[in-house]
Amino acid sequence: MPGLADLRHLPSVDRMMNLPSIAPLIERHGRGVVTDELRGVLVDIREAVKAGAEVPDEAGVLASLISRLGYLEKSNLRPLFNLTGTVLHTNLGRALLAEEAIAAAVDAMRDAAALEFDLDTGRRGERDGHLRELLCELTGAEDATIVNNNAAAVLISLNAIGAGRQAIVSRGELIEIGGAFRMPDIMERAGVELVEVGTTNRTHPRDYIKAVGPETALILKVHTSNYRIEGFTAEVEGAELARIARDLGVALLNDLGSGTLVDLSRYGLAKEPTVREAIVEGADLVTFSGDKLLGGPQAGFIVGRKHLIAEINRNPLKRALRVDKIRIAALAATLKLYRDPDRLGERLPTLRMLSRKQPEIRAQAERLLPQVTSLLQRQGYGVEICPCSSQIGSGALPVDTVPSAGLRITAASGSALEALASLFRSLPRPILGRLQDGAMVLDLRCLTDENSFIASLSEGTGHALA
């Protein structure tokens, strides 16, 4: 066993930093970072030597340094394979952008853009102007504005038209969205007083009519997009609620949550209320998301009556919640795709993945089965094709699933499956499936690049399972 005296052979920081092979690392990471990480490597080596390890030479120290710098540089926010079966996965960034949106965002990043500059007049313009006409055209609304997500859209709408007054909501619509954000909390922060009507499962027109008083500013209708109450239920539909609000002289704010601009039933999915339908029904304001069923980047849209949109745009919160040029460019490109509904399903990744048919996905599973089996079988894992069900995700159509197909991986023990899941997460391009009924299921609905998937899987099995 080497003695502690051997530590004198360990190269010093100064000696290592002057090696020609260190220069590319300094160029890439900076001298300060390389120096700090080298000191950390030498500390680890000293501890290892005290425990009986041999003292590495300069090449060994350099290899440890490169590995340490590589880990430091690696980001968790990197591309991965979403094989969870949830298409709009909140934890994985929700909608994938269309190529047109990606190109528009890159152009906006690369050069200066007329974000708030009117090229016709040479004067200051409005950033919302890049989207207003498109939103009005696609929804039939009088006017439109945009903030950074749908929770913000609800917040600023409530604050602008109801601060210091009352907002009436059905008890069955007081939802909690992701991250434990609850509608009553958002209303409180908006400065409106919540007035609950009806019961959890049944709310009638008379409940709203009875609750409206001198302090009522608006009625809030919330689309329960992330859950369903079934059985003995009743709710007041948007058109009737709009009539009640109009007759009683208060505004109706309809929060659609996920929001969609097209009838999803034409793509084989369950129907969701569209924004245009909510406007036609008579809602004064409609709020919805950009990064869910719409298929764009994160944003919160507000469309509706011109005078109410003007109130929202005058609200001081608007500046705090505004959207940058990159997202506006990507949103504009996404919205333009909706002008060509016949090709929308091909060009918008969200709709393309949601509308994939099970036979097509099963054929993909059959192509991949021999290769995946070859990589995993020798490690004791079994692989077979299985039918499965995909979810839309992000609160949309919560009880509806879409028939899909995937690969079912089995092992002798649950710990072996956990180890495989951990390995898959550690890959340069991680693979995420779901553990279900004693197996790992890789739902292939969202897999678009089979070659990269096999390459990533090969790298993992070639190193960690060897």
Side-chain angles (χ1 to χ4, degrees):
M1 180 178 294
L4 296 183
D6 290 339
L7 284 172
R8 67 178 182 273
H9 299 301
L10 192 65
S12 67
V13 172
D14 288 342
R15 178 178 170 183
M16 289 294 301
M17 290 297 292
N18 286 320
L19 292 176
S21 53
I22 290 288
L25 300 180
I26 295 174
E27 178 68 24
R28 182 180 182 89
H29 301 281
R31 178 173 292 276
V33 171
V34 174
T35 302
D36 289 344
E37 295 305 314
L38 176 58
R39 289 194 178 105
V41 166
L42 294 175
V43 167
D44 291 345
I45 290 173
R46 290 188 185 97
E47 292 299 318
V49 170
K50 291 176 184 178
E54 295 183 358
V55 176
D57 57 13
E58 288 179 356
V61 175
L62 180 62
S64 296
L65 175 61
I66 292 172
S67 176
R68 191 174 177 119
L69 288 169
Y71 181 81
L72 185 70
E73 189 177 51
K74 185 172 67 174
S75 169
N76 278 335
L77 189 62
R78 62 187 190 272
L80 53 77
F81 294 101
N82 174 17
L83 307 185
T84 63
T86 301
V87 177
L88 296 172
H89 201 305
T90 298
N91 302 129
L92 304 182
R94 294 180 177 164
L96 304 183
L97 299 191
E99 290 301 321
E100 291 85 349
I102 294 170
V106 170
D107 287 344
M109 285 188 280
R110 182 177 289 119
D111 294 306
L115 178 62
E116 292 185 355
F117 185 82
D118 190 323
L119 293 171
D120 292 329
T121 65
R123 298 174 181 173
R124 179 169 183 158
E126 297 180 19
R127 62 179 65 200
D128 288 358
H130 300 283
L131 301 172
R132 183 177 293 112
E133 287 187 11
L134 277 167
L135 286 167
C136 292
E137 172 190 334
L138 295 169
T139 67
E142 294 178 7
D143 204 352
T145 191
I146 180 176
V147 287
N148 61 4
N149 65 22
N150 190 54
V154 175
L155 174 72
I156 193 172
S157 297
L158 290 170
N159 184 260
I161 66 176
R165 301 178 68 194
Q166 296 176 343
I168 301 172
V169 190
S170 167
R171 286 186 173 89
E173 298 176 0
L174 291 174
I175 65 171
E176 178 179 303
I177 59 177
F181 287 94
R182 298 179 170 182
M183 185 59 70
D185 297 333
I186 293 174
M187 296 176 72
E188 181 182 359
R189 292 292 182 178
V192 300
E193 179 186 346
L194 167 61
V195 177
E196 301 178 30
V197 298
T199 62
T200 303
N201 60 317
R202 291 178 70 82
T203 304
H204 303 282
R206 63 178 181 273
D207 295 318
Y208 291 99
I209 294 170
K210 184 179 178 181
V212 172
E215 295 303 312
T216 304
L218 72 147
I219 295 173
L220 172 61
K221 182 171 180 58
V222 183
H223 179 47
T224 55
S225 58
N226 62 354
Y227 72 97
R228 288 287 188 272
I229 299 175
E230 298 180 343
F232 188 58
T233 64
E235 69 170 304
V236 183
E237 299 296 336
E240 186 170 7
L241 203 52
R243 180 186 59 77
I244 292 171
R246 184 170 59 252
D247 290 346
L248 296 174
V250 298
L252 172 61
L253 168 57
N254 191 343
D255 172 29
L256 289 182
S258 290
T260 178
L261 298 180
V262 295
D263 182 356
L264 296 177
S265 63
R266 69 180 293 180
Y267 301 98
L269 304 169
K271 182 173 172 54
E272 278 274 277
T274 68
V275 180
R276 180 176 289 274
E277 288 169 349
I279 291 294
V280 170
E281 287 174 347
D284 297 291
L285 290 174
V286 180
T287 57
F288 58 103
S289 296
D291 58 342
K292 297 180 182 178
L293 290 173
L294 190 137
Q298 179 179 297
F301 295 110
I302 312 169
V303 299
R305 307 287 183 199
K306 199 172 192 67
H307 70 282
L308 294 178
I309 297 294
E311 285 292 327
I312 291 168
N313 284 332
R314 284 194 290 267
N315 191 294
L317 283 173
K318 184 64 164 58
R319 184 175 181 85
L321 302 174
R322 69 184 182 178
V323 179
D324 72 310
K325 68 172 183 174
I326 301 168
R327 272 194 281 177
I328 287 176
L331 285 165
T334 302
L335 290 172
K336 287 175 183 176
L337 297 179
Y338 281 84
R339 286 174 161 170
D340 185 3
D342 293 335
R343 293 194 296 160
L344 185 64
E346 305 167 13
R347 301 167 72 187
L348 197 66
T350 294
L351 284 180
R352 186 169 64 244
M353 289 186 290
L354 286 174
S355 60
R356 288 186 73 192
K357 302 302 181 185
Q358 189 179 40
E360 175 193 340
I361 304 172
R362 182 176 177 85
Q364 184 178 40
E366 291 171 351
R367 290 194 300 271
L368 293 171
L369 180 62
Q371 300 173 78
V372 176
T373 299
S374 174
L375 291 168
L376 294 180
Q377 197 171 47
R378 62 176 178 268
Q379 311 300 336
Y381 294 95
V383 187
E384 62 182 351
I385 296 173
C386 67
C388 53
S389 298
S390 304
Q391 293 181 319
I392 284 75
S394 292
L397 301 170
V399 299
D400 295 285
T401 57
V402 186
S404 187
L407 298 175
R408 186 174 184 269
I409 303 172
T410 55
S413 66
S415 60
L417 284 175
E418 291 284 355
L420 186 64
S422 178
L423 168 65
F424 282 0
R425 293 194 303 272
S426 70
L427 296 174
R429 184 168 180 180
I431 298 171
L432 298 188
R434 66 176 183 266
L435 296 178
Q436 176 182 317
D437 300 329
M440 176 186 287
V441 175
L442 304 180
D443 186 324
L444 301 179
R445 175 168 293 279
C446 296
L447 181 62
T448 58
D449 190 341
E450 297 177 19
N451 292 332
S452 294
F453 167 70
I454 291 298
S456 188
L457 189 63
S458 299
E459 180 173 352
T461 56
H463 291 86
L465 295 181

